[in-house]
Amino acid sequence: MRRRIFTVTLALTLLIVGATTGCAQTYPDRFIFIYSPHWGLRQDGELELIQQTLITAAAHGYNGLVLGGALDRLSMQPPVFFTRLSRLAQTCEDLDMKLIPMVFSAGYGGSVLDQNPHLAEGFPVKDAEFRVGEEQAWFRPDPSIRVVNGDFTRAEGDRLAGMSLQHKPGVVTHVDRRVTHDGATSVRLDNFQANGGHARLAQEIAVVPHRCYEVEAWVRTADLEPPGRFRFEVLGLPDGRDIAPTTLKAPPPGEWTRMALRFNSLKYSRIRLTAGVWAGRRGTAWFSEWNLREVGPVNVLRRPGTPVTVRSADGSTTYEEGADYAPLVDPQFSHRDPDHPAPPLTLLPGGRIREGQRLKVSWYHSVAVAEGQRSVCMAEPELYEIWKREAKLLADLLHPAAYLLSMDEIREGGHCAACGGRDMSQLLGECLTKQKEILHEVSPGAQIYTWADMLSPEHNARANYYLVNGDFSRAWEYAPKDLIMVVWAMPKRITGVRFFSQRGFSTLIGAYYDKDNLSAVEDWVRVARGVRGLRGIMYTTWQQKFDLVAPFGDLVWGGAAGARSKP
């Protein structure tokens, strides 16, 4: 019955589109972008929502669907996924709309890491101490690296000892011995507006460069608004670089929850560690048992670009893997669940390592940024082998005439042995070139679009972006000139559109971005007039908001009537 209703609706839409005439100027690319990891065509209901949205879009002049989510890991999909994807492809064909898959993300590495988690960008741990026992050597953290007075027991009134910063003791920060976690003293944070919304504690702590650390605390909130405003901040000193740019999940209200954040100290020997509330409006937060500890080889990465090195304490002897010790691997490896003990280094019979020795062990680990994002290493050859396999599966199934490279927000790179020391602009350009070659091998002549933020100095193409060791500001120089740049974010990014236009690139604007109205799109339409090489303005939603699909098409290209005019 549902298919019959859909078929009738589709037929009516085709009649409407076919009967529409007009003479308004339009764009050749009139796309709608649909993405969500939860829209992975897992249920018929999700497919039907997309189909109904496309019917509306086609009636208002759209001619393409850019579809993101799971299309570059077809090898891992269940059979029903392919059935639904084929039905969606047929809908696009019936509506005379291109189906443009979004593929190949280096910044959001989930599709690749689900196939090989060791391809994550690696951050080096150098010369961590291990102590040798009878058959194994164990990581020994430095006990001197910790939060001073992290149990909050030393205080005069509400003023805590050992802090380099405490916001307004007794006003927004308070020592609390009544609301506690397991009887430990807590710090209560409230009355935020008395200090511009902030209530925080900070310490400056000496650390060892290139080591893995974890900051933790037990946290409880009550009526905290906005939610999720309690967080940690780790700045490398003296330059103040944020070396832990990660957003932690907000604790459930009223429950004591352990919050923990892992980071690499990079080149820094001193950090400023802050905990508390940023930009709070109302409510209360408590935290207790604030601590910093060094972390061993949890989730140690093993690939060619992330070697493990074991040396004697004086550095004079380098031991051999497979002869002196077994490969250092983590049997509980999981990017999603790193809270498990570090594995030991297992000694091999006949090896040169002796009980009682101290060792210097070096390895690589991954780091999560933003909301759990992990980037992959663009210099590791296996990455491109995975993409080749997936591209062939996709091309055989859909025969796309165009693709969108999901190469936005590459927030990590330049740290492991494969990409460390590389010119990051050149490496990104090489990656884009290889991606284009892979797609043209399976889809000759296909148009290739790419998110443009990592190629635009007006946007994210800059030095030391998030945890990138290097500079992306010249990446556009190394990008293939026939890539179509999809410039996104707010209308002020029009400078990015002109930047690419002036350098001979065609462009597409990714607009809308989940607002309640089209005022920002109106700005885009005004500033985009007359830009050479601009192919269109795409309806771009990351939150599956489709209420404005119809008025967007009517505004940008005059709906179905405008779409039938030649650009």
PDB file of all heavy atoms in Angstrom, residues 314-346:
ATOM      1  N   ASP A 314      69.834   3.686  29.366  1.00  0.00           N
ATOM      2  CA  ASP A 314      70.823   4.681  28.960  1.00  0.00           C
ATOM      3  C   ASP A 314      70.791   4.980  27.459  1.00  0.00           C
ATOM      4  O   ASP A 314      71.553   5.808  26.958  1.00  0.00           O
ATOM      5  CB  ASP A 314      72.230   4.246  29.375  1.00  0.00           C
ATOM      6  CG  ASP A 314      72.663   2.938  28.724  1.00  0.00           C
ATOM      7  OD1 ASP A 314      71.926   2.411  27.856  1.00  0.00           O
ATOM      8  OD2 ASP A 314      73.747   2.432  29.083  1.00  0.00           O
ATOM      9  N   GLY A 315      69.897   4.283  26.746  1.00  0.00           N
ATOM     10  CA  GLY A 315      69.732   4.535  25.326  1.00  0.00           C
ATOM     11  C   GLY A 315      70.782   3.908  24.443  1.00  0.00           C
ATOM     12  O   GLY A 315      70.756   4.087  23.220  1.00  0.00           O
ATOM     13  N   SER A 316      71.698   3.160  25.008  1.00  0.00           N
ATOM     14  CA  SER A 316      72.812   2.627  24.215  1.00  0.00           C
ATOM     15  C   SER A 316      72.432   1.380  23.419  1.00  0.00           C
ATOM     16  O   SER A 316      73.100   1.037  22.439  1.00  0.00           O
ATOM     17  CB  SER A 316      73.994   2.300  25.131  1.00  0.00           C
ATOM     18  OG  SER A 316      73.637   1.288  26.074  1.00  0.00           O
ATOM     19  N   THR A 317      71.377   0.670  23.843  1.00  0.00           N
ATOM     20  CA  THR A 317      70.971  -0.564  23.178  1.00  0.00           C
ATOM     21  C   THR A 317      69.531  -0.469  22.718  1.00  0.00           C
ATOM     22  O   THR A 317      68.644  -0.112  23.498  1.00  0.00           O
ATOM     23  CB  THR A 317      71.108  -1.775  24.131  1.00  0.00           C
ATOM     24  OG1 THR A 317      72.457  -1.856  24.603  1.00  0.00           O
ATOM     25  CG2 THR A 317      70.732  -3.064  23.422  1.00  0.00           C
ATOM     26  N   THR A 318      69.309  -0.776  21.454  1.00  0.00           N
ATOM     27  CA  THR A 318      67.946  -0.862  20.923  1.00  0.00           C
ATOM     28  C   THR A 318      67.618  -2.331  20.725  1.00  0.00           C
ATOM     29  O   THR A 318      68.332  -3.058  20.016  1.00  0.00           O
ATOM     30  CB  THR A 318      67.816  -0.107  19.585  1.00  0.00           C
ATOM     31  OG1 THR A 318      68.111   1.283  19.801  1.00  0.00           O
ATOM     32  CG2 THR A 318      66.407  -0.236  19.030  1.00  0.00           C
ATOM     33  N   TYR A 319      66.542  -2.775  21.360  1.00  0.00           N
ATOM     34  CA  TYR A 319      66.184  -4.187  21.318  1.00  0.00           C
ATOM     35  C   TYR A 319      65.322  -4.483  20.094  1.00  0.00           C
ATOM     36  O   TYR A 319      64.690  -3.586  19.514  1.00  0.00           O
ATOM     37  CB  TYR A 319      65.465  -4.572  22.607  1.00  0.00           C
ATOM     38  CG  TYR A 319      66.369  -4.413  23.815  1.00  0.00           C
ATOM     39  CD1 TYR A 319      66.232  -3.315  24.671  1.00  0.00           C
ATOM     40  CD2 TYR A 319      67.366  -5.334  24.077  1.00  0.00           C
ATOM     41  CE1 TYR A 319      67.064  -3.151  25.760  1.00  0.00           C
ATOM     42  CE2 TYR A 319      68.213  -5.182  25.167  1.00  0.00           C
ATOM     43  CZ  TYR A 319      68.058  -4.082  26.005  1.00  0.00           C
ATOM     44  OH  TYR A 319      68.896  -3.912  27.083  1.00  0.00           O
ATOM     45  N   GLU A 320      65.300  -5.749  19.711  1.00  0.00           N
ATOM     46  CA  GLU A 320      64.663  -6.157  18.468  1.00  0.00           C
ATOM     47  C   GLU A 320      63.342  -6.864  18.746  1.00  0.00           C
ATOM     48  O   GLU A 320      63.288  -7.847  19.495  1.00  0.00           O
ATOM     49  CB  GLU A 320      65.589  -7.086  17.677  1.00  0.00           C
ATOM     50  CG  GLU A 320      65.029  -7.512  16.331  1.00  0.00           C
ATOM     51  CD  GLU A 320      65.968  -8.443  15.593  1.00  0.00           C
ATOM     52  OE1 GLU A 320      67.127  -8.612  16.038  1.00  0.00           O
ATOM     53  OE2 GLU A 320      65.538  -9.020  14.569  1.00  0.00           O
ATOM     54  N   GLU A 321      62.288  -6.350  18.092  1.00  0.00           N
ATOM     55  CA  GLU A 321      60.982  -7.001  18.201  1.00  0.00           C
ATOM     56  C   GLU A 321      61.035  -8.354  17.507  1.00  0.00           C
ATOM     57  O   GLU A 321      61.582  -8.493  16.409  1.00  0.00           O
ATOM     58  CB  GLU A 321      59.908  -6.115  17.560  1.00  0.00           C
ATOM     59  CG  GLU A 321      58.492  -6.664  17.714  1.00  0.00           C
ATOM     60  CD  GLU A 321      57.445  -5.695  17.179  1.00  0.00           C
ATOM     61  OE1 GLU A 321      57.021  -4.799  17.930  1.00  0.00           O
ATOM     62  OE2 GLU A 321      57.070  -5.822  15.994  1.00  0.00           O
ATOM     63  N   GLY A 322      60.500  -9.376  18.153  1.00  0.00           N
ATOM     64  CA  GLY A 322      60.524 -10.728  17.602  1.00  0.00           C
ATOM     65  C   GLY A 322      61.712 -11.539  18.037  1.00  0.00           C
ATOM     66  O   GLY A 322      61.723 -12.762  17.874  1.00  0.00           O
ATOM     67  N   ALA A 323      62.746 -10.857  18.592  1.00  0.00           N
ATOM     68  CA  ALA A 323      63.916 -11.567  19.107  1.00  0.00           C
ATOM     69  C   ALA A 323      64.054 -11.337  20.612  1.00  0.00           C
ATOM     70  O   ALA A 323      64.233 -12.291  21.377  1.00  0.00           O
ATOM     71  CB  ALA A 323      65.177 -11.112  18.386  1.00  0.00           C
ATOM     72  N   ASP A 324      63.949 -10.086  21.011  1.00  0.00           N
ATOM     73  CA  ASP A 324      64.070  -9.757  22.438  1.00  0.00           C
ATOM     74  C   ASP A 324      62.705  -9.629  23.129  1.00  0.00           C
ATOM     75  O   ASP A 324      62.595  -9.885  24.322  1.00  0.00           O
ATOM     76  CB  ASP A 324      64.831  -8.444  22.603  1.00  0.00           C
ATOM     77  CG  ASP A 324      66.252  -8.542  22.074  1.00  0.00           C
ATOM     78  OD1 ASP A 324      66.977  -9.462  22.499  1.00  0.00           O
ATOM     79  OD2 ASP A 324      66.634  -7.712  21.223  1.00  0.00           O
ATOM     80  N   TYR A 325      61.707  -9.247  22.392  1.00  0.00           N
ATOM     81  CA  TYR A 325      60.369  -9.082  22.979  1.00  0.00           C
ATOM     82  C   TYR A 325      59.314  -9.343  21.901  1.00  0.00           C
ATOM     83  O   TYR A 325      59.573  -9.206  20.700  1.00  0.00           O
ATOM     84  CB  TYR A 325      60.181  -7.678  23.567  1.00  0.00           C
ATOM     85  CG  TYR A 325      60.317  -6.558  22.566  1.00  0.00           C
ATOM     86  CD1 TYR A 325      59.204  -6.052  21.894  1.00  0.00           C
ATOM     87  CD2 TYR A 325      61.564  -6.005  22.265  1.00  0.00           C
ATOM     88  CE1 TYR A 325      59.330  -5.037  20.963  1.00  0.00           C
ATOM     89  CE2 TYR A 325      61.695  -4.980  21.338  1.00  0.00           C
ATOM     90  CZ  TYR A 325      60.570  -4.502  20.689  1.00  0.00           C
ATOM     91  OH  TYR A 325      60.695  -3.501  19.760  1.00  0.00           O
ATOM     92  N   ALA A 326      58.157  -9.778  22.362  1.00  0.00           N
ATOM     93  CA  ALA A 326      57.041 -10.029  21.446  1.00  0.00           C
ATOM     94  C   ALA A 326      56.435  -8.702  21.014  1.00  0.00           C
ATOM     95  O   ALA A 326      56.578  -7.679  21.707  1.00  0.00           O
ATOM     96  CB  ALA A 326      55.995 -10.899  22.136  1.00  0.00           C
ATOM     97  N   PRO A 327      55.743  -8.650  19.872  1.00  0.00           N
ATOM     98  CA  PRO A 327      55.101  -7.407  19.447  1.00  0.00           C
ATOM     99  C   PRO A 327      54.208  -6.832  20.546  1.00  0.00           C
ATOM    100  O   PRO A 327      53.433  -7.562  21.183  1.00  0.00           O
ATOM    101  CB  PRO A 327      54.280  -7.826  18.224  1.00  0.00           C
ATOM    102  CG  PRO A 327      55.021  -9.002  17.664  1.00  0.00           C
ATOM    103  CD  PRO A 327      55.562  -9.727  18.865  1.00  0.00           C
ATOM    104  N   LEU A 328      54.361  -5.537  20.778  1.00  0.00           N
ATOM    105  CA  LEU A 328      53.543  -4.859  21.784  1.00  0.00           C
ATOM    106  C   LEU A 328      52.185  -4.550  21.152  1.00  0.00           C
ATOM    107  O   LEU A 328      52.069  -3.682  20.286  1.00  0.00           O
ATOM    108  CB  LEU A 328      54.222  -3.572  22.251  1.00  0.00           C
ATOM    109  CG  LEU A 328      53.452  -2.733  23.282  1.00  0.00           C
ATOM    110  CD1 LEU A 328      53.200  -3.531  24.552  1.00  0.00           C
ATOM    111  CD2 LEU A 328      54.201  -1.441  23.582  1.00  0.00           C
ATOM    112  N   VAL A 329      51.170  -5.274  21.562  1.00  0.00           N
ATOM    113  CA  VAL A 329      49.813  -5.076  21.051  1.00  0.00           C
ATOM    114  C   VAL A 329      48.863  -4.996  22.234  1.00  0.00           C
ATOM    115  O   VAL A 329      49.141  -5.509  23.324  1.00  0.00           O
ATOM    116  CB  VAL A 329      49.380  -6.217  20.100  1.00  0.00           C
ATOM    117  CG1 VAL A 329      50.251  -6.244  18.861  1.00  0.00           C
ATOM    118  CG2 VAL A 329      49.416  -7.564  20.813  1.00  0.00           C
ATOM    119  N   ASP A 330      47.738  -4.333  22.010  1.00  0.00           N
ATOM    120  CA  ASP A 330      46.711  -4.210  23.047  1.00  0.00           C
ATOM    121  C   ASP A 330      45.575  -5.162  22.709  1.00  0.00           C
ATOM    122  O   ASP A 330      44.819  -4.910  21.764  1.00  0.00           O
ATOM    123  CB  ASP A 330      46.202  -2.771  23.111  1.00  0.00           C
ATOM    124  CG  ASP A 330      45.252  -2.541  24.284  1.00  0.00           C
ATOM    125  OD1 ASP A 330      44.820  -3.532  24.900  1.00  0.00           O
ATOM    126  OD2 ASP A 330      44.947  -1.369  24.572  1.00  0.00           O
ATOM    127  N   PRO A 331      45.414  -6.265  23.440  1.00  0.00           N
ATOM    128  CA  PRO A 331      44.349  -7.223  23.118  1.00  0.00           C
ATOM    129  C   PRO A 331      42.952  -6.664  23.334  1.00  0.00           C
ATOM    130  O   PRO A 331      41.978  -7.227  22.824  1.00  0.00           O
ATOM    131  CB  PRO A 331      44.634  -8.403  24.062  1.00  0.00           C
ATOM    132  CG  PRO A 331      45.402  -7.808  25.195  1.00  0.00           C
ATOM    133  CD  PRO A 331      46.214  -6.693  24.606  1.00  0.00           C
ATOM    134  N   GLN A 332      42.833  -5.565  24.074  1.00  0.00           N
ATOM    135  CA  GLN A 332      41.532  -4.937  24.314  1.00  0.00           C
ATOM    136  C   GLN A 332      41.356  -3.660  23.486  1.00  0.00           C
ATOM    137  O   GLN A 332      40.529  -2.817  23.805  1.00  0.00           O
ATOM    138  CB  GLN A 332      41.368  -4.612  25.791  1.00  0.00           C
ATOM    139  CG  GLN A 332      41.453  -5.823  26.705  1.00  0.00           C
ATOM    140  CD  GLN A 332      41.226  -5.438  28.157  1.00  0.00           C
ATOM    141  OE1 GLN A 332      40.136  -5.046  28.545  1.00  0.00           O
ATOM    142  NE2 GLN A 332      42.273  -5.545  28.963  1.00  0.00           N
ATOM    143  N   PHE A 333      42.110  -3.537  22.398  1.00  0.00           N
ATOM    144  CA  PHE A 333      42.099  -2.321  21.593  1.00  0.00           C
ATOM    145  C   PHE A 333      40.672  -1.919  21.234  1.00  0.00           C
ATOM    146  O   PHE A 333      39.900  -2.698  20.679  1.00  0.00           O
ATOM    147  CB  PHE A 333      42.903  -2.558  20.318  1.00  0.00           C
ATOM    148  CG  PHE A 333      43.158  -1.314  19.511  1.00  0.00           C
ATOM    149  CD1 PHE A 333      44.428  -0.773  19.449  1.00  0.00           C
ATOM    150  CD2 PHE A 333      42.141  -0.678  18.807  1.00  0.00           C
ATOM    151  CE1 PHE A 333      44.689   0.373  18.694  1.00  0.00           C
ATOM    152  CE2 PHE A 333      42.380   0.458  18.061  1.00  0.00           C
ATOM    153  CZ  PHE A 333      43.658   0.996  18.002  1.00  0.00           C
ATOM    154  N   SER A 334      40.344  -0.661  21.511  1.00  0.00           N
ATOM    155  CA  SER A 334      39.029  -0.125  21.138  1.00  0.00           C
ATOM    156  C   SER A 334      39.084   1.383  21.218  1.00  0.00           C
ATOM    157  O   SER A 334      39.311   1.948  22.293  1.00  0.00           O
ATOM    158  CB  SER A 334      37.921  -0.658  22.055  1.00  0.00           C
ATOM    159  OG  SER A 334      36.711   0.024  21.822  1.00  0.00           O
ATOM    160  N   HIS A 335      38.848   2.057  20.088  1.00  0.00           N
ATOM    161  CA  HIS A 335      38.767   3.512  20.124  1.00  0.00           C
ATOM    162  C   HIS A 335      37.570   3.969  20.952  1.00  0.00           C
ATOM    163  O   HIS A 335      37.605   5.042  21.559  1.00  0.00           O
ATOM    164  CB  HIS A 335      38.626   4.074  18.706  1.00  0.00           C
ATOM    165  CG  HIS A 335      39.877   3.962  17.891  1.00  0.00           C
ATOM    166  ND1 HIS A 335      41.099   4.433  18.323  1.00  0.00           N
ATOM    167  CD2 HIS A 335      40.101   3.446  16.645  1.00  0.00           C
ATOM    168  CE1 HIS A 335      42.016   4.218  17.397  1.00  0.00           C
ATOM    169  NE2 HIS A 335      41.438   3.621  16.379  1.00  0.00           N
ATOM    170  N   ARG A 336      36.525   3.170  20.964  1.00  0.00           N
ATOM    171  CA  ARG A 336      35.300   3.561  21.662  1.00  0.00           C
ATOM    172  C   ARG A 336      35.375   3.317  23.157  1.00  0.00           C
ATOM    173  O   ARG A 336      34.625   3.921  23.923  1.00  0.00           O
ATOM    174  CB  ARG A 336      34.102   2.824  21.068  1.00  0.00           C
ATOM    175  CG  ARG A 336      33.821   3.180  19.616  1.00  0.00           C
ATOM    176  CD  ARG A 336      32.623   2.415  19.084  1.00  0.00           C
ATOM    177  NE  ARG A 336      32.311   2.802  17.705  1.00  0.00           N
ATOM    178  CZ  ARG A 336      32.836   2.244  16.629  1.00  0.00           C
ATOM    179  NH1 ARG A 336      33.729   1.256  16.768  1.00  0.00           N
ATOM    180  NH2 ARG A 336      32.507   2.633  15.419  1.00  0.00           N
ATOM    181  N   ASP A 337      36.253   2.433  23.596  1.00  0.00           N
ATOM    182  CA  ASP A 337      36.335   2.093  25.023  1.00  0.00           C
ATOM    183  C   ASP A 337      37.799   1.975  25.431  1.00  0.00           C
ATOM    184  O   ASP A 337      38.346   0.876  25.524  1.00  0.00           O
ATOM    185  CB  ASP A 337      35.588   0.785  25.305  1.00  0.00           C
ATOM    186  CG  ASP A 337      35.579   0.448  26.799  1.00  0.00           C
ATOM    187  OD1 ASP A 337      35.837   1.360  27.610  1.00  0.00           O
ATOM    188  OD2 ASP A 337      35.315  -0.721  27.141  1.00  0.00           O
ATOM    189  N   PRO A 338      38.445   3.118  25.699  1.00  0.00           N
ATOM    190  CA  PRO A 338      39.872   3.076  26.052  1.00  0.00           C
ATOM    191  C   PRO A 338      40.137   2.830  27.534  1.00  0.00           C
ATOM    192  O   PRO A 338      41.303   2.806  27.941  1.00  0.00           O
ATOM    193  CB  PRO A 338      40.343   4.480  25.660  1.00  0.00           C
ATOM    194  CG  PRO A 338      39.151   5.347  25.912  1.00  0.00           C
ATOM    195  CD  PRO A 338      37.943   4.506  25.575  1.00  0.00           C
ATOM    196  N   ASP A 339      39.100   2.655  28.321  1.00  0.00           N
ATOM    197  CA  ASP A 339      39.284   2.519  29.775  1.00  0.00           C
ATOM    198  C   ASP A 339      39.580   1.070  30.140  1.00  0.00           C
ATOM    199  O   ASP A 339      38.713   0.324  30.624  1.00  0.00           O
ATOM    200  CB  ASP A 339      38.050   3.017  30.525  1.00  0.00           C
ATOM    201  CG  ASP A 339      37.882   4.517  30.407  1.00  0.00           C
ATOM    202  OD1 ASP A 339      38.906   5.219  30.359  1.00  0.00           O
ATOM    203  OD2 ASP A 339      36.739   4.986  30.351  1.00  0.00           O
ATOM    204  N   HIS A 340      40.812   0.665  29.888  1.00  0.00           N
ATOM    205  CA  HIS A 340      41.253  -0.664  30.290  1.00  0.00           C
ATOM    206  C   HIS A 340      42.753  -0.598  30.581  1.00  0.00           C
ATOM    207  O   HIS A 340      43.432   0.357  30.187  1.00  0.00           O
ATOM    208  CB  HIS A 340      40.935  -1.706  29.205  1.00  0.00           C
ATOM    209  CG  HIS A 340      41.497  -1.378  27.857  1.00  0.00           C
ATOM    210  ND1 HIS A 340      40.774  -0.747  26.871  1.00  0.00           N
ATOM    211  CD2 HIS A 340      42.733  -1.586  27.302  1.00  0.00           C
ATOM    212  CE1 HIS A 340      41.511  -0.590  25.790  1.00  0.00           C
ATOM    213  NE2 HIS A 340      42.720  -1.092  26.027  1.00  0.00           N
ATOM    214  N   PRO A 341      43.281  -1.585  31.262  1.00  0.00           N
ATOM    215  CA  PRO A 341      44.703  -1.533  31.646  1.00  0.00           C
ATOM    216  C   PRO A 341      45.624  -1.581  30.432  1.00  0.00           C
ATOM    217  O   PRO A 341      45.306  -2.165  29.394  1.00  0.00           O
ATOM    218  CB  PRO A 341      44.879  -2.782  32.522  1.00  0.00           C
ATOM    219  CG  PRO A 341      43.509  -3.159  32.959  1.00  0.00           C
ATOM    220  CD  PRO A 341      42.592  -2.749  31.856  1.00  0.00           C
ATOM    221  N   ALA A 342      46.788  -0.962  30.584  1.00  0.00           N
ATOM    222  CA  ALA A 342      47.802  -1.012  29.531  1.00  0.00           C
ATOM    223  C   ALA A 342      48.414  -2.411  29.475  1.00  0.00           C
ATOM    224  O   ALA A 342      48.681  -3.026  30.514  1.00  0.00           O
ATOM    225  CB  ALA A 342      48.891   0.018  29.808  1.00  0.00           C
ATOM    226  N   PRO A 343      48.658  -2.948  28.287  1.00  0.00           N
ATOM    227  CA  PRO A 343      49.272  -4.276  28.186  1.00  0.00           C
ATOM    228  C   PRO A 343      50.751  -4.219  28.555  1.00  0.00           C
ATOM    229  O   PRO A 343      51.406  -3.186  28.377  1.00  0.00           O
ATOM    230  CB  PRO A 343      49.080  -4.625  26.714  1.00  0.00           C
ATOM    231  CG  PRO A 343      49.083  -3.297  26.021  1.00  0.00           C
ATOM    232  CD  PRO A 343      48.384  -2.353  26.971  1.00  0.00           C
ATOM    233  N   PRO A 344      51.296  -5.323  29.037  1.00  0.00           N
ATOM    234  CA  PRO A 344      52.735  -5.367  29.321  1.00  0.00           C
ATOM    235  C   PRO A 344      53.529  -5.675  28.056  1.00  0.00           C
ATOM    236  O   PRO A 344      52.978  -6.067  27.025  1.00  0.00           O
ATOM    237  CB  PRO A 344      52.846  -6.523  30.315  1.00  0.00           C
ATOM    238  CG  PRO A 344      51.744  -7.456  29.896  1.00  0.00           C
ATOM    239  CD  PRO A 344      50.615  -6.574  29.427  1.00  0.00           C
ATOM    240  N   LEU A 345      54.823  -5.486  28.160  1.00  0.00           N
ATOM    241  CA  LEU A 345      55.756  -5.907  27.114  1.00  0.00           C
ATOM    242  C   LEU A 345      56.219  -7.312  27.473  1.00  0.00           C
ATOM    243  O   LEU A 345      56.813  -7.523  28.541  1.00  0.00           O
ATOM    244  CB  LEU A 345      56.941  -4.942  27.047  1.00  0.00           C
ATOM    245  CG  LEU A 345      57.943  -5.167  25.925  1.00  0.00           C
ATOM    246  CD1 LEU A 345      57.335  -4.750  24.583  1.00  0.00           C
ATOM    247  CD2 LEU A 345      59.223  -4.382  26.201  1.00  0.00           C
ATOM    248  N   THR A 346      55.958  -8.280  26.606  1.00  0.00           N
ATOM    249  CA  THR A 346      56.296  -9.670  26.890  1.00  0.00           C
ATOM    250  C   THR A 346      57.697  -9.993  26.373  1.00  0.00           C
ATOM    251  O   THR A 346      58.005  -9.760  25.195  1.00  0.00           O
ATOM    252  CB  THR A 346      55.263 -10.620  26.251  1.00  0.00           C
ATOM    253  OG1 THR A 346      53.969 -10.341  26.801  1.00  0.00           O
ATOM    254  CG2 THR A 346      55.623 -12.072  26.528  1.00  0.00           C
TER     255      THR A 346
END
